[in-house]
Amino acid sequence: MSFNVSADAYGRFMGQYSEPLAVQFIEYAGVRAGQRAVDVGCGPGALTAQLVDRLEAEAVAAIDPSAPFVEAARERFPGVDVRSGDAEDLPFADDDFDVALAQLVVHFMTDPVAGLREMGRVTRPGGIVAACVWDHSGDGGPLSTFWRAVRETDPQAGDESGLPGSREGHLAELFAAAGLKDIDDSVLTVTVPFATFDDWWEPYTLGVGPAGDHVAKLGDAAREDLQAACARLLPAAPFEVAASAWTVRGRVTA
Ligand SMILES: C[S@@+](CC[C@H](N)C(=O)[O-])C[C@H]1O[C@@H](n2cnc3c(N)ncnc32)[C@H](O)[C@@H]1O
């Protein structure tokens, strides 16, 4: 799966959903002025932007393994400590933050429990770890129509439904396995408007994430079949896509 893409391509594909999600997510996590926070798997900075608004840049750290995203985040957020690296091996000291957040990242971690445990390690006792993952396993994620069309046109193709945290209750199970306490399991939903079918389809052709990888590997005929299947499944334009994310917070204990 590829996140070796430009921040602009990411923004047009996933940023349109993750930016409004970040507004709800920091509320859910209870982030407030005076705290220090780390954005794990920050991408180009949908959530980092919200954290900087609320906490000031010097109180925010961010980390991502994607070189173009790290570069974009460094440029966009002077004063934020933006690192290159993985959740599973965070380059921060124990108890460094009041809150550690991972928006739409746990399902991409090689070892989600290790990643969440690391987020707990860098968070002070009493602090909060929170994460969210799209409902890829039900019908509620932003890419549901796309993956339904893929299954119709190419039943052998894989999708994102089996990724960790994508089914109801699984993200909370991962939090428990990582040793987090007082676990709260919730759902956040954003609604994104599309004026035309092309506005919806074009971002899938930018090579971002598993969906973009899938489209990039198709020949012309298969891509046109998939595009037509998507057009059949979507309502007539203009339309809205509602996207829901399983969202969990847990407390770090001493
Ligand atoms: C869907 S994007 C989410 C980006 C951003 N948090 C947002 O909400 O827009 C997933 C991000 O997870 C990053 N990622 C993948 N594996 C990771 C890992 N093991 N640890 C931390 N981040 C990871 C990717 O590079 C990518 O930026």
Side-chain angles (χ1 to χ4, degrees), residues 27-28 35 41 44 48 68 74 109 112 144 147 151 158 180 183 220:
E27 277 303 314
Y28 172 80
Q35 291 184 324
T48 320
R74 282 185 178 144
M109 293 180 189
S144 294
W147 288 118
R151 284 192 291 274
L180 295 157
I183 293 168
D220 289 348

Side-chain angles (χ1 to χ4, degrees), residues 29-73:
V31 176
R32 55 186 189 280
Q35 291 184 324
R36 277 177 52 73
V38 58
D39 180 2
V40 176
C42 60
L47 177 63
T48 320
Q50 295 300 318
L51 292 171
V52 167
D53 270 2
R54 194 163 288 196
L55 304 181
E56 305 296 339
E58 288 66 25
V60 178
I63 181 163
D64 199 282
S66 159
F69 290 174
V70 168
E71 191 183 329

